Amino acid sequence: MGTVTPPAAAPNQVPLVEELGWFPVDEAGAAGVARRVAVDLARRLGFSDERTGEVAIVAAELASNLHRHADVGALSVRCLRSGGTGGVELVAVDSGPGMADLVFSGSDGTSTAGTLGIGLGAVRRLSSHSGGYSLPGRGTVLAAQLWPDRRDVGVPVVAGLTRPITGETVCGDRWAARVRGGALLVLVADGLGHGALASAAASAAVDAFLSGDLDAPAAIVERLHRLVSHTRGAAVSVARVEGGTVRFAGLGNVAGVVASPDGERRGMVSMPGIVGHQSRGVREFTYELPPEAVVVLHSDGVSDRWTLRDYPGLSRQDPLLIAGTLLRDAGVRRDDACVAVVRP
């Protein structure tokens, strides 16, 4: 891998995310690969030797936890950029037995595999921000952010995850978010097909979205339609979240849902077409955002047969944990997949 140099986030943007890859952890050696990738990223971002060592500890614990306990598990290594500063983000997703008491499992000295038990407690202590969600019989999602100065970044309002189709190393789905005034704008783009050309189409949509200053979802989609015509095209949805209202516009098969903890789901309407190639018009719709509800955008690589009723307490967790849980359980392996979540 070359030097990681994603563009610095502007003041009106949430941190920019670059996925470096998912690393299946099905044997002890695979855990070492994920740790080395995370350490290499920290060094190239200019972390001190001490902080790089802490990245190694967190990555090793998350990866070894997957190896020891998970039936099917993988670790995502991601580069974050905010205000010219780079950070390391690690997301561990598994379909293992789960943990009934994640708080207890995160205490130093707790071990179920005969290890020292320094694991999840060290993850929490060394990370700038960390969290987890676990459901017995379903599995666990753990996430950790590490910035150079150990600053506490708090709980994000929006987060997302992507995963390429089985057999590919690049994903044709992308997500992005930016702030305009007091509103949060979120985009999900699903490049037509798979592989490098699909990734290029989705990336073009993301770049145009981040460089623009429009704040009406329909106007944004129409602008993208003009700007990405040199690519193979993409399905795109944009949501504008402010207060108790969501404004939404989409072109193509990218879903938008307002989901409540009680299982109620309100699907948002996307018009037929392909951004960059086919459009019979873009329409914008407005939806109420009830208290405790979340906004979920996802590509068609994620089945829509999910409900928050099946995940007690998940809607109160970090958006990244919500995205990871839905990607694990509703993502299909025969397509690229992307989930972006806003928890106001």
Side-chain angles (χ1 to χ4, degrees), residues 248-253 269-274 280-285:
F248 179 87
L251 200 60
N253 193 16
V269 177
S270 181
M271 306 303 290
I274 302 172
R280 290 179 289 178
V282 179
R283 293 184 60 188
E284 183 172 306
F285 300 88

Side-chain angles (χ1 to χ4, degrees), residues 25-331:
V25 181
D26 50 7
E27 58 183 24
V33 172
R35 180 188 61 80
R36 287 192 294 273
V37 171
V39 167
D40 183 56
L41 172 60
R43 286 173 176 157
R44 287 182 283 134
L45 289 173
F47 281 33
S48 67
D49 290 344
E50 179 183 3
R51 191 61 170 149
T52 299
E54 292 171 345
V55 170
I57 292 171
V58 172
E61 175 53 36
L62 291 177
S64 61
N65 188 68
L66 289 173
H67 172 58
R68 290 194 304 264
H69 303 298
D71 297 329
V72 178
L75 182 67
S76 171
V77 181
R78 293 147 50 105
C79 175
L80 305 178
R81 283 284 182 176
S82 179
T85 301
V88 178
E89 186 168 67
L90 304 167
V91 185
V93 178
D94 73 64
S95 300
M99 291 176 272
D101 189 344
L102 191 58
V103 174
F104 174 75
S105 300
S107 302
D108 287 345
T110 301
S111 173
T112 60
T115 65
L116 293 176
I118 64 171
L120 298 185
V123 170
R124 183 173 56 206
R125 187 173 60 255
L126 298 176
S127 300
S128 302
H129 176 71
S130 66
Y133 178 79
S134 189
L135 199 61
R138 299 292 293 272
T140 302
V141 178
L142 300 171
Q145 282 188 19
L146 296 99
W147 295 87
D149 55 5
R150 273 207 197 182
R151 56 174 166 149
D152 183 356
V153 296
V155 179
V157 175
V158 59
L161 274 174
T162 64
R163 187 192 65 202
I165 188 174
T166 302
E168 280 284 356
T169 58
V170 296
C171 185
D173 295 355
R174 294 282 305 276
W175 75 279
R178 61 181 173 88
V179 176
R180 174 70 174 172
L184 176 67
L185 293 154
V186 186
L187 167 141
V188 164
D190 180 352
L192 203 61
H194 310 108
L197 292 179
S199 178
S203 296
V206 165
D207 292 344
F209 169 77
L210 292 175
S211 65
D213 59 1
L214 298 173
D215 68 353
I220 292 171
V221 174
E222 289 171 346
R223 178 174 180 269
L224 300 186
H225 185 60
R226 297 191 300 270
L227 293 180
V228 305
S229 59
H230 63 288
T231 72
R232 62 166 54 178
V236 171
S237 287
V238 176
R240 182 184 190 274
V241 182
E242 184 176 22
T245 301
V246 183
R247 291 164 56 187
F248 179 87
L251 200 60
N253 193 16
V254 175
V257 178
V258 177
S260 297
D262 61 5
E264 182 177 352
R265 289 165 44 105
R266 179 76 183 273
M268 298 186 282
V269 177
S270 181
M271 306 303 290
I274 302 172
V275 168
H277 292 280
Q278 300 175 14
S279 174
R280 290 179 289 178
V282 179
R283 293 184 60 188
E284 183 172 306
F285 300 88
T286 301
Y287 303 89
E288 179 184 356
L289 182 58
E292 299 187 11
V294 298
V295 178
V296 180
L297 305 184
H298 64 77
S299 65
D300 64 353
V302 176
S303 166
D304 63 0
R305 297 178 181 177
W306 57 266
T307 171
L308 292 181
R309 185 189 297 115
D310 295 337
Y311 304 96
L314 180 59
S315 65
R316 297 190 296 273
Q317 300 292 334
D318 292 6
L320 185 58
L321 300 176
I322 301 174
T325 301
L326 295 180
L327 184 66
R328 179 194 65 199
D329 292 350

